[in-house]
Amino acid sequence: MWTRRALLAAALPPAKMNDAVKPLAEAVAAGQLRAAVLRVTQGDGVYERAFGAATPASPFLIASITKPMTAAAVMTVVEAGKLPLDAPAAKLLPGFDGRITLRQMLSHTSGLPDMLPENIELRKRNAPLREWAKLAMKTPLLFAPGEKVSYQSMGILLAATMAELVSGVAMPKLLEQRIYGPLGMKDTYLGLGRYRLEETVQNQTEHADPVGEKHWDWNSRYWRTLAAPWGGAHSTAADITKLLRYFMKPGPGPLRPETAKQMVTAQSAQYGLGWRLTPGQFGHGGSTGTLCWAHPGRDVTFVLLTSLPARVSQKTILDPVSKAVQGALLG
């Protein structure tokens, strides 16, 4: 299915873009991929295509693309002067390691693990987020804070916990009020929001982590409603494009321009605040088979949402399509 919105041939060469989507079309034809949406913009030009069971408006579980969204909501609390970036987080989280700061949690230098040792057990018994946060505050660090970079979902969880404590607003509502609403992301929610479970794209969980898959399912009501601030949002390709374009050219919006720019400026190797950085670009990916990035210098955004977990689709779909689009528009 095709949709066109001010498609500019000069900015988005159709022939090159058609070559870029071949891995998607071939995977659907072979029965390997059930649903996907690709949306690319350059300037005012838009290239959008839905594959398989998806439509351009289909909501996907976007996994860790949630992280920069959560980080942006946290930064609105920082801007209000209620949450310092570099003070010990233990001032708000009693019993937490006194060396860790909010900046370290948002830039993956806190020493916290990506997932807790109790990860499977928590999922297995459908534990609420407060139990995840409680254990995250007590879990042994992998290294001294600030010593190195190590991707950590638990740092995002505790950053969100701090923002909730200070603002008095739960993260799903905080995101709706301060990020999604101001940016016009009307189809994005942390958790299911207004969606019924059957309205969302179902993940191909038979290809998920074989260890974790014994005990939990991305398609379960528990996981879809948990509203995990590190990976529990549902969104569309169009809404994620709005987020990318805001951070690409910060102006009037949910954050001061200088704060938005800070979030896409290196705070550690490979990371800003919530965003992953590569030369000339910022973006993020997700374990459910999602990827987004923006190249401010070329005014390009890229969003690819799929139903096939990244452990399979990263090498076969996500990276090849991304590289092909980069070759067509950035080369």
Side-chain angles (χ1 to χ4, degrees):
M1 179 175 181
W2 292 85
T3 63
R4 291 173 180 259
R5 299 177 188 174
L7 181 60
L8 303 182
L12 303 175
K16 291 185 179 181
M17 293 299 294
N18 286 339
D19 288 341
V21 302
K22 280 183 180 179
L24 289 159
E26 290 171 355
V28 170
Q32 299 167 347
L33 176 65
R34 295 177 192 160
V37 176
L38 172 68
R39 183 180 173 87
V40 179
T41 72
Q42 185 170 47
D44 293 329
V46 179
Y47 182 102
E48 187 173 63
R49 183 173 177 179
F51 298 81
T55 71
S58 291
F60 288 73
L61 177 65
I62 61 172
S64 289
I65 295 178
T66 306
K67 286 182 171 70
M69 297 176 178
T70 296
V74 171
M75 291 304 292
T76 67
V77 183
V78 172
E79 280 192 338
K82 299 179 178 180
L83 196 59
L85 268 175
D86 295 309
K91 290 184 177 181
L92 274 176
L93 303 174
F96 190 43
D97 191 301
R99 298 170 294 172
I100 297 175
T101 67
L102 180 62
R103 187 189 302 272
Q104 290 168 338
M105 290 190 281
L106 295 178
S107 60
H108 300 279
T109 59
S110 68
L112 287 162
D114 182 31
M115 285 293 149
L116 296 168
E118 302 88 353
N119 176 37
I120 296 299
E121 177 59 31
L122 289 166
R123 298 174 192 253
K124 194 175 178 180
R125 59 186 176 82
N126 293 358
L129 274 177
R130 63 177 178 274
E131 291 192 34
W132 291 76
K134 183 177 180 181
L135 288 170
M137 286 190 284
K138 298 178 179 178
T139 197
L141 299 184
L142 302 178
F143 51 85
E147 186 178 86
K148 61 178 76 172
V149 178
S150 182
Y151 188 74
Q152 36 94 80
S153 294
M154 293 302 96
I156 301 297
L157 168 62
L158 293 183
T161 301
M162 293 171 68
E164 289 179 330
L165 288 171
V166 169
S167 68
V169 181
M171 186 52 65
K173 181 61 69 174
L174 196 68
L175 276 162
E176 182 181 344
Q177 293 176 342
R178 302 194 182 186
I179 305 300
Y180 302 152
L183 292 181
M185 298 169 66
K186 59 183 178 61
D187 297 316
T188 303
Y189 302 93
L190 182 57
L192 271 179
R194 65 170 172 82
Y195 293 121
R196 297 192 303 273
L197 185 58
E198 60 270 20
E199 292 177 327
T200 64
V201 173
Q202 299 299 288
N203 292 101
Q204 296 173 237
T205 53
E206 68 271 23
H207 297 290
D209 179 356
V211 176
E213 187 59 22
K214 294 178 182 178
H215 302 299
W216 66 279
D217 189 330
W218 277 324
N219 297 327
S220 68
R221 182 162 296 279
Y222 166 67
W223 193 253
R224 294 299 188 104
T225 60
L226 182 63
W230 68 86
H234 291 81
S235 189
T236 64
D239 271 9
I240 295 172
T241 299
K242 293 176 183 178
L243 183 76
L244 292 170
R245 293 191 69 82
Y246 169 70
F247 277 96
M248 192 163 60
K249 295 182 178 180
L255 294 165
R256 298 170 190 151
E258 59 268 27
T259 302
K261 290 177 182 177
Q262 182 184 26
M263 288 186 63
V264 295
T265 300
Q267 307 293 314
S268 65
Q270 304 172 9
Y271 292 99
L273 297 173
W275 288 105
R276 181 173 289 163
L277 309 180
T278 55
Q281 299 179 180
F282 64 89
H284 219 289
S287 60
T288 51
T290 61
L291 180 65
C292 73
W293 51 262
H295 191 295
R298 297 295 184 88
D299 199 14
V300 173
T301 68
F302 171 97
V303 181
L304 177 55
L305 308 179
T306 84
S307 59
L308 187 62
R311 69 186 299 270
V312 176
S313 61
Q314 195 72 54
K315 292 183 179 180
T316 61
I317 296 173
L318 299 177
D319 287 346
V321 174
S322 175
K323 289 176 182 177
V325 170
Q326 288 175 354
L329 301 184
L330 307 180

